[in-house]
Amino acid sequence: MKPISGGADEGFGEPISFTSDGDVWAEFLRVRIVPTAMIGSGETVETTQGMRIRPRQIEKGWKIIEGEHTYKVLHVDTSTPGEIILTTKEVDP
C-alpha cells in the first residue's frame, strides 16, 4: 500500500497533484455498506473500506494506492495507541 499526500490545488478544489509518501503495511478490514439519501436522487448506498495501519503521518484527503485500486482517506482514527484506522472510499485514479 502506498499513501500519497495532496499537493498544490487550484482555489478551494481537490488537489491537482499528489506526492508519494512511501510504502506502508496495512490490514484491510471488512467493507462497510451504508444506505444513504442523496438530495433529489433517492436512496443510494455508500461503500467504504476500513484499513488498519501502523502509526505514521497520514491525513484526511490523502490517497492510498494498493495494486490497481486507489482509495481516498475520509477519516483518520488515532484513538488506539499503536495503530491508525482509516476510513476510505475507492475512487478513480
Side-chain angles (χ1 to χ4, degrees), residues 3 5 21 24 53-60 62 76 84:
S5 58
D21 198 51
V24 65
I53 65 171
R54 293 183 178 114
R56 65 169 297 121
Q57 174 64 32
I58 193 159
E59 298 178 21
K60 180 179 173 181
W62 285 26
V76 179
I84 296 174

Side-chain angles (χ1 to χ4, degrees), residues 22-71:
D23 293 325
V24 65
W25 169 90
E27 174 188 3
F28 278 64
L29 306 174
R30 261 199 279 175
V31 171
R32 184 172 179 211
I33 301 171
V34 179
T36 61
M38 303 291 284
I39 296 175
S41 63
E43 192 168 314
T44 63
V45 294
E46 180 176 61
T47 304
T48 59
Q49 175 65 61
M51 298 178 192
R52 182 187 331 266
I53 65 171
R54 293 183 178 114
R56 65 169 297 121
Q57 174 64 32
I58 193 159
E59 298 178 21
K60 180 179 173 181
W62 285 26
K63 289 187 178 181
I64 295 173
I65 297 173
E66 199 285 316
E68 299 292 320
H69 303 278
T70 301
Y71 302 88

Side-chain angles (χ1 to χ4, degrees), residues 59-90:
E59 298 178 21
K60 180 179 173 181
W62 285 26
K63 289 187 178 181
I64 295 173
I65 297 173
E66 199 285 316
E68 299 292 320
H69 303 278
T70 301
Y71 302 88
K72 181 176 181 180
V73 177
L74 304 175
H75 179 73
V76 179
D77 178 356
T78 59
S79 62
T80 303
E83 69 180 29
I84 296 174
I85 302 294
L86 304 175
T87 301
T88 67
K89 182 175 183 171
E90 189 166 6

